Amino acid sequence: MKYDILQILGAVLMCFSAQGLIRLLIDHDHTGLLGWLPGSFAVLLGAYVVVLAGAVVLTGWSHSRAKALGRRD
């Protein structure tokens, strides 16, 4: 159950960060959820990339752990 929740959390983070990253690339003034961070466009871009990469790793790791426990086919 723990890995299921982590996988869902990773997928949600991945969706929000990917959407924010694409939105920031299209409209540089629309900073999205990470707009509270101080810094320029490059800082926000890097932050979205880091969150997206972390979400991908979390989702993949939790899926592989659940699969090792026999919860996935």
Side-chain angles (χ1 to χ4, degrees):
M1 184 68 169
K2 172 175 68 172
Y3 297 117
D4 299 332
I5 293 171
L6 286 175
Q7 189 174 1
I8 292 168
L9 178 66
V12 168
L13 278 173
M14 189 170 28
C15 291
F16 281 125
S17 61
Q19 180 186 10
L21 181 64
I22 292 168
R23 182 175 291 160
L24 184 65
L25 287 173
I26 292 172
D27 183 10
H28 300 308
D29 293 329
H30 189 80
T31 56
L33 289 176
L34 296 180
W36 56 270
L37 288 174
S40 63
F41 169 75
V43 172
L44 287 173
L45 188 68
Y48 275 115
V49 168
V50 167
V51 172
L52 180 61
V56 168
V57 169
L58 176 65
T59 304
W61 175 79
S62 59
H63 177 75
S64 64
R65 294 298 303 159
K67 192 173 185 178
L69 293 175
R71 296 185 56 94
R72 303 283 186 276
D73 293 331

